[in-house]
Amino acid sequence: MRRLCLASGLAFLVVFSLGPFVWSFLTSLKGGRELFSIPPTYFPQSPSLEHYTGVFEQRPFARYIGNSLIVGAGSTLIALGAASLAAYALARLRIRFSGAFEKALLLLALVPPALLVIPLHDAARLTGLSNSRLALILIHAALNLPFAVWMLTAFFRGIPGELLEAARLDGLSRVQILRRIVLPLAAPGLAATAILVFIFSWNEFALALTLLTRDDVRTVPVGIAMLSGVTVYEVPWGQISAAVVMTTLPVVAAVILFQRWIVGGLTAGALKG
Amino acid sequence: MTRTIVLMTILAVACLPAGGCGKDDSRGGGPAKGKTVVRFLEGPDNGGGWKEIVSRFEAAHPEIDVELVEGPASTNTREEMYTASFLSGDSTYDVICMDIIWVPKLAAQGWLLPLDDRLPPNEREKFLPGDIQGSIYEGRIYRVPMRSDAGMLYYRSDVVTTPPETFEDLVRLSREHQKPPGMWGFVFQAKQYEGLVCNFLEVLWGHGGDVFDGTGRVILDGPEAVRALTWMCGLVRDVSPEGVTTYQEEESRHVFHEGHALFMRNWPYAWTKAQEEGSPIRGKVGIVPMVHAPGKSSAATLGGWGFGIAKSAKNPDAAWKFISFATAEAQQKTLHLRNGAIPTRRSLFQDPEVLAESPHYPDLYKVLLAARPRPVHPRYPEISDAIQRHVSAALVGREAVEEALKHTAAEIRKIVGR
Amino acid sequence: MRHLYLLPAAILVFGILGLPLVLTVSRGSGHFAALFSDATLGSVALTTLAFAAVSVTLEMAIGLGFALLLQQTIRARGLFRAIALIPWALPTAVMAMSWRWIFNDVYGVANDMLLKVGLLHEPIAWLGRPGTAFFALVAADVWKTTPFVTIILLAGLQSVPRDLHEAMSVDGAGPVRRFFSLALPLLRPAMAVAVTFRMIQALGIFDLVWVLTGGGPADSTRTLAQYVYETLFRYLNLGYGAALTAAVVLGAFLLASGVGAAVRGKPVL
């Protein structure tokens, strides 16, 4: 009974999560005429990789993926670093105005990214950071910090107080407690935060579009928007699907590794002390 | 502590290449000192025509460095990029490659340089009249047309021998030959977006109506408009699939291209696609100007792109040199042959090389001559949204025709303040 | 000294998000009165609220179910977790276009499958009717953002100490009772974070609507964020756009923190 429930639940999960993605994958293998045949075909009748090669002929996609990885990894590390410190203080070091600080973060999480386009465009120009991935890294980190701080605060609060008290009696400093006790125990929360922050950065479009206008620094979502047909109005749907499939696989791989690395790394750290 | 150090090192490594790139001048590839830079933003340069034009220009003008920024394919997105740079008051772009409907809006903000002295009347006459008309705001010209575009009617020449001329013809022929759901009569663009306005205006103009009369009064609730919108609403579920109210250009083209519709309203690009090798409707398609009411004449909504100079341009003369070079006959021909762009200079529609590549151009020329710009007003985006909202509501049966038009007219009156 | 821990986060957030917000809102002074006579604002706010309520509720329910599934000891658990994450990893604008093809009346697969199964007798223009367009929008959003909830709740479940689980199952408590009396209370903080930030995202929904329906038909899916964007970028009405932004940010803040506090089981505000 339990196994049946589990199996059907998992089957639903797989169909739900993969359905549209599989559709994109099948689309990416269909030749020109089959893409919009009426009624639609499900499996490509003469599968071809023309859209995949077309993507690389049109745009430097390996470059875009590299840039997205740099921006995603950079902003995730900065956001997690800053958020761990802040969340530790908010959750564990009775400080004044902690409630107000949390509320202020929430308020700032509501600022629509589109609104930031103009002031940040200005700021980047004044600091000489136009077309710099560093600017985008900092911005993505900031956009994610409210979420990361809230998330980690919730997880840090869940750690039993006796453990921290014992560590303090052992003579550990606050930084040591954070590093050796709090972070390892909150590893699931850290990993989840890292994954969500990384993917946010991977998909962010509005700011990446206006801040990075040179092809050698552009990121994946902007790159996909650059795919075009031979004529205006034409949407090269086969190529767009191919690009989506190609750019999703590395992010899933990166996320799996990311999770292992964080969980593994922190647990090891905790044991070695 | 080691772990923190490792973390910081990884961080630094991740940022280093980024910081390195940040050092580069925001001017991009870093032109040689003393060179004037002219920068503009266009869509992706798929055929390579733009790169050829730019290198030809730079060979002729070694003192000027033209930087082509290839932006996303979506025009909305490029408008946003230009707007962001204008609003932040910097001079990222010297030359503005703009859609015809941006002209009044950008000019009214004072972001463009007038080009009256640089483009004298005898020069203007060499371009298609609508393209020039749409480049003028309050008596001054701000744009030199580069690529033209206009809506027209496609028909299946293998099914229909005489193409329709009037709105009644179109519906009659559709009913005669259609067999839904395998074969529909007429597909067009009726999603709530800018394209809906283009489609609606063609029907409105074809009925003799308009948004404003000659004195600037809003007449969108007049009898012609009622007839126009009534006709349009009658199409849905009769000769057009219900989903036409969700179609943009590509959705309607897919249906027509796969042989499931007899008529289609679309831009000229669909012709090129229809004639491609392997196209199921190759050699079975004709184009005519959009249908009209008896006694009235056809009208096409004008699209198209052209160049203006930003007021913040550091060197307007260099920018102008590039604009006049790019919009000259030879370069427009290159862009046609390589990127499929429709020229804006009349002479090119008789050019043998152009005609060899695009034998349908005599027909297209007729459409372009009858093409009209959308209402020229600095607050056009708001006017357009009002039309979109209520025409869409009428099409899906949320508002009655008269009611929808009354609301639209009232909203537009409020917007233009009269 | 202890406040120094807040410094890096504070500098980044207030510098990069705070300053632009303050600058924008200050530009809105003198335009706030107009908010109260703006009929469009009322209608888009209602649409947005309805959208946020329906989609966040569904996402929390499905997300919790998925998290419980992925918490079980099953073979290839890592793979299933990665699969569950895929919708969140796909670029919104592209998937929105994909949904547009899927929901197409003539060549879309949604109609084709439903017709084949016999649930439909004639094709439906999903995005062409106000009611079904709203439903399609919710479906696309639920699909896209459920993984966000799943991941957070899964992390929450993993933090529930295993020996507690074991202690209770020794006591003879069934899995359902174990969940309600043990896991759920411990899961509340994670649920509060998920619901708060999903509310924030849903109230600011833009890309998906912009590509999928453009706000139509008949404005039935136009949202607050789209209206703010249009006012600022298309109408170039900076003053009123600033006032709108301030109002939207404040309203969404009160709502999101209220809902979050309710889920956490704390007094609202």
Side-chain angles (χ1 to χ4, degrees):
Chain A
M1 181 60 201
R2 181 172 170 274
R3 291 190 57 156
L4 193 73
C5 278
L6 253 179
S8 52
L10 284 173
F12 174 69
L13 182 145
V14 169
V15 171
F16 176 93
S17 306
L18 280 185
F21 181 70
V22 168
W23 182 244
S24 291
F25 174 66
L26 293 174
T27 302
S28 72
L29 297 174
K30 289 178 187 170
R33 275 213 55 196
E34 225 191 311
L35 280 174
F36 297 101
S37 59
I38 303 169
T41 55
Y42 287 81
F43 293 96
Q45 273 146 17
S46 51
S48 93
L49 292 176
E50 57 173 301
H51 298 309
Y52 287 83
T53 51
V55 164
F56 282 100
E57 278 162 22
Q58 230 192 84
R59 291 282 145 201
F61 254 85
R63 248 255 116 100
Y64 296 155
I65 293 176
N67 290 329
S68 277
L69 284 173
I70 291 176
V71 173
S75 55
T76 306
L77 283 174
I78 294 182
L80 279 194
S84 304
L85 293 174
Y88 179 47
L90 293 172
R92 287 298 168 187
L93 312 175
R94 270 163 248 109
I95 56 172
R96 259 189 296 173
F97 308 122
S98 62
F101 187 79
E102 275 182 70
K103 285 277 187 275
L105 284 180
L106 193 61
L107 190 70
L108 291 172
L110 282 151
V111 178
L115 193 75
L116 299 171
V117 165
I118 297 158
L120 292 181
H121 182 84
D122 266 345
R125 190 168 45 90
L126 293 174
T127 51
L129 288 176
S130 296
N131 274 321
S132 140
R133 283 164 290 188
L134 180 62
L136 198 61
I137 287 176
L138 293 175
I139 291 167
H140 283 178
L143 281 170
N144 275 299
L145 261 169
F147 166 70
V149 171
W150 268 62
M151 182 81 177
L152 294 182
T153 306
F155 279 88
F156 290 178
R157 282 202 179 114
I159 296 168
E162 311 88 75
L163 276 174
L164 305 187
E165 186 57 23
R168 208 178 58 81
L169 292 177
D170 280 352
L172 265 66
S173 70
R174 282 198 202 108
V175 179
Q176 285 170 322
I177 293 179
L178 171 63
R179 229 181 57 237
R180 296 200 194 150
I181 316 282
V182 175
L183 289 182
L185 285 173
L190 269 176
T193 313
I195 289 168
L196 293 174
V197 170
F198 180 81
I199 292 179
F200 168 90
S201 165
W202 187 268
N203 284 337
E204 196 281 325
F205 180 73
L207 293 160
L209 171 77
T210 37
L211 283 173
L212 308 178
T213 54
R214 269 196 356 235
D215 230 19
D216 58 337
V217 287
R218 275 193 169 125
T219 55
V220 166
V222 182
I224 292 177
M226 302 278 302
L227 292 172
S228 71
V230 185
T231 56
V232 279
Y233 301 108
E234 190 188 340
V235 179
W237 193 234
Q239 290 189 3
I240 292 176
S241 302
V244 166
V245 171
M246 273 188 302
T247 54
T248 301
L249 296 180
V251 74
V252 172
V255 158
I256 294 174
L257 286 174
F258 223 47
Q259 184 179 7
R260 285 218 183 122
W261 174 68
I262 287 185
V263 176
L266 288 169
T267 321
L271 291 178
K272 278 178 217 145
Chain B
M1 213 52 213
T2 44
R3 199 153 298 277
T4 319
I5 292 167
V6 170
L7 214 71
M8 295 315 278
T9 318
I10 293 170
L11 197 64
V13 170
C15 295
L16 256 183
C21 287
K23 287 280 186 317
D24 278 9
D25 181 359
S26 68
R27 276 287 179 190
K33 281 235 163 73
K35 266 196 180 184
T36 305
V37 178
V38 171
R39 187 186 304 162
F40 73 108
L41 168 72
E42 240 285 46
D45 179 25
N46 257 357
W50 276 118
K51 285 177 200 95
E52 188 182 328
I53 292 170
V54 167
S55 67
R56 228 187 269 162
F57 176 81
E58 288 176 341
H61 300 269
E63 77 286 1
I64 301 173
D65 188 88
V66 175
E67 196 189 307
L68 160 68
V69 176
E70 285 181 74
S74 142
T75 59
N76 276 325
T77 314
R78 298 209 298 279
E79 182 179 9
E80 187 184 320
M81 290 170 80
Y82 272 127
T83 308
S85 104
F86 279 129
L87 283 175
S88 79
D90 72 353
S91 46
T92 309
Y93 303 109
D94 310 276
V95 165
I96 312 300
C97 182
M98 50 185 158
D99 191 338
I100 193 163
I101 52 173
W102 303 356
V103 175
K105 175 169 114 169
L106 302 185
Q109 293 283 336
W111 289 340
L112 299 175
L113 281 181
L115 306 174
D116 301 281
D117 301 337
R118 303 185 197 259
L119 196 70
N122 63 331
E123 257 312 296
R124 295 180 201 179
E125 278 168 16
K126 296 175 184 162
F127 291 88
L128 291 162
D131 284 322
I132 290 292
Q133 199 194 330
S135 304
I136 294 174
Y137 172 65
E138 297 202 325
R140 316 197 73 173
I141 192 160
Y142 291 93
R143 189 185 85 134
V144 186
M146 179 74 200
R147 302 190 262 128
S148 196
D149 214 359
M152 55 198 189
L153 188 71
Y154 290 74
Y155 67 96
R156 286 288 297 275
S157 52
D158 55 332
V159 183
V160 181
T161 37
T162 357
E165 276 185 31
T166 65
F167 292 111
E168 286 72 35
D169 290 347
L170 180 66
V171 172
R172 183 176 46 77
L173 286 169
S174 293
R175 285 193 188 137
E176 221 167 89
H177 296 283
Q178 74 173 5
K179 281 186 217 66
M183 182 65 150
W184 285 96
F186 179 44
V187 288
F188 54 107
Q189 297 88 45
K191 181 183 168 177
Q192 184 177 332
Y193 83 120
E194 182 62 33
L196 175 58
V197 179
C198 300
N199 280 250
F200 173 67
L201 286 177
E202 284 164 3
V203 177
L204 179 67
W205 289 332
H207 278 90
D210 208 336
V211 179
F212 299 104
D213 68 3
T215 66
R217 219 160 42 96
V218 179
I219 51 164
L220 200 52
D221 42 4
E224 297 87 1
V226 172
R227 279 198 290 276
L229 189 54
T230 307
W231 181 78
M232 244 176 129
C233 291
L235 298 173
V236 183
R237 281 162 171 271
D238 178 5
V239 298
S240 304
E242 187 199 352
V244 78
T245 56
T246 68
Y247 289 3
Q248 293 189 192
E249 286 82 2
E250 280 288 84
E251 280 97 340
S252 34
R253 187 180 70 79
H254 294 145
V255 174
F256 185 76
H257 193 89
E258 293 301 323
H260 297 276
L262 196 60
F263 299 105
M264 168 176 73
R265 182 273 173 203
N266 215 324
W267 308 94
Y269 87 102
W271 201 90
T272 319
K273 296 299 294 176
Q275 297 309 118
E276 265 176 9
E277 211 165 308
S279 154
I281 51 169
R282 192 177 183 187
K284 299 178 188 167
V285 180
I287 51 173
V288 283
M290 186 64 190
V291 287
H292 54 82
K296 309 287 181 195
S297 52
S298 311
T301 303
L302 193 65
W305 294 72
F307 288 123
I309 303 179
K311 195 160 249 177
S312 57
K314 288 187 200 72
N315 191 335
D317 291 330
W320 175 255
K321 270 185 197 153
F322 174 69
I323 292 177
S324 63
F325 181 87
T327 54
E329 257 183 44
Q331 278 64 245
Q332 289 207 359
K333 196 199 266 186
T334 304
L335 204 64
H336 171 69
L337 296 176
R338 295 197 60 164
N339 293 23
I342 301 162
T344 55
R345 286 186 177 266
R346 297 169 180 233
S347 58
L348 287 170
F349 289 86
Q350 276 115 47
D351 184 282
E353 258 184 280
V354 171
L355 287 176
E357 170 80 12
S358 308
H360 64 299
Y361 266 28
D363 290 332
L364 177 60
Y365 189 59
K366 278 184 226 146
V367 173
L368 290 170
L369 282 181
R372 296 161 66 170
R374 281 156 269 178
V376 176
H377 193 278
R379 293 178 73 182
Y380 173 73
E382 285 161 89
I383 297 174
S384 165
D385 282 1
I387 297 176
Q388 288 175 37
R389 182 158 51 239
H390 293 292
V391 171
S392 166
L395 287 172
V396 300
R398 268 230 167 158
E399 284 175 13
V401 168
E402 281 90 354
E403 183 196 355
L405 290 169
K406 217 172 271 168
H407 286 313
T408 322
E411 283 178 32
I412 296 177
R413 284 191 191 105
K414 214 171 129 196
I415 293 164
V416 301
R418 47 192 296 174
Chain C
M1 218 6 230
R2 280 177 291 184
H3 282 89
L4 276 182
Y5 285 88
L6 298 180
L7 203 60
I11 290 174
L12 273 170
V13 175
F14 294 107
I16 293 179
L17 307 180
L19 280 181
L21 181 69
V22 171
L23 287 176
T24 308
V25 170
S26 64
R27 232 193 266 146
S29 60
H31 293 88
F32 288 104
L35 291 171
F36 295 97
S37 55
D38 185 345
T40 311
L41 176 61
S43 92
V44 296
L46 270 181
T47 308
T48 313
L49 282 176
F51 168 80
V54 178
S55 56
V56 174
T57 308
L58 286 171
E59 285 149 22
M60 289 302 290
I62 302 176
L64 180 61
F66 282 179
L68 287 169
L69 267 174
L70 294 172
Q71 166 74 359
Q72 308 297 318
T73 24
I74 41 174
R75 237 182 299 166
R77 190 165 62 174
L79 181 69
F80 282 113
R81 286 182 182 174
I83 286 174
L85 200 68
I86 281 183
W88 181 252
L90 294 167
T92 312
V94 180
M95 286 324 284
M97 215 191 291
S98 197
W99 285 109
R100 220 165 82 198
W101 297 155
I102 289 172
F103 286 126
N104 184 287
D105 61 329
V106 174
Y107 54 78
V109 287
N111 275 336
D112 192 64
M113 287 197 295
L114 291 172
L115 286 168
K116 277 192 180 129
V117 179
L119 285 173
L120 279 186
H121 296 295
E122 57 169 9
I124 288 185
W126 293 96
L127 301 174
R129 300 176 188 172
T132 51
F134 181 83
F135 163 77
L137 188 66
V138 168
D141 188 66
V142 168
W143 176 76
K144 166 86 194 163
T145 47
T146 294
F148 180 86
V149 177
T150 307
I151 294 290
I152 293 177
L153 297 188
L154 184 59
L157 285 171
Q158 281 174 296
S159 306
V160 175
R162 189 164 301 165
D163 35 345
L164 265 177
H165 265 293
E166 278 155 13
M168 281 200 67
S169 63
V170 171
D171 279 355
V176 178
R177 232 195 84 202
R178 278 214 304 273
F179 172 71
F180 277 102
S181 60
L182 172 75
L184 198 59
L186 287 170
L187 203 53
R188 272 175 178 243
M191 286 181 82
V193 174
V195 92
T196 307
F197 281 86
R198 269 307 302 144
M199 281 301 284
I200 287 178
Q201 291 163 4
L203 292 170
I205 181 125
F206 176 64
D207 295 25
L208 183 66
V209 196
W210 185 251
V211 180
L212 196 64
T213 64
D219 253 15
S220 58
T221 56
R222 200 173 181 206
T223 61
L224 275 170
Q226 185 185 347
Y227 184 44
V228 171
Y229 169 85
E230 284 171 339
T231 307
L232 284 171
F233 275 86
R234 290 191 60 231
Y235 307 163
L236 299 175
N237 194 345
L238 304 185
Y240 190 59
L244 266 179
T245 308
V248 170
V249 166
L250 189 69
F253 170 72
L254 293 175
L255 200 66
S257 51
V259 173
V263 168
R264 207 187 322 174
K266 274 199 181 162
V268 175
L269 282 178

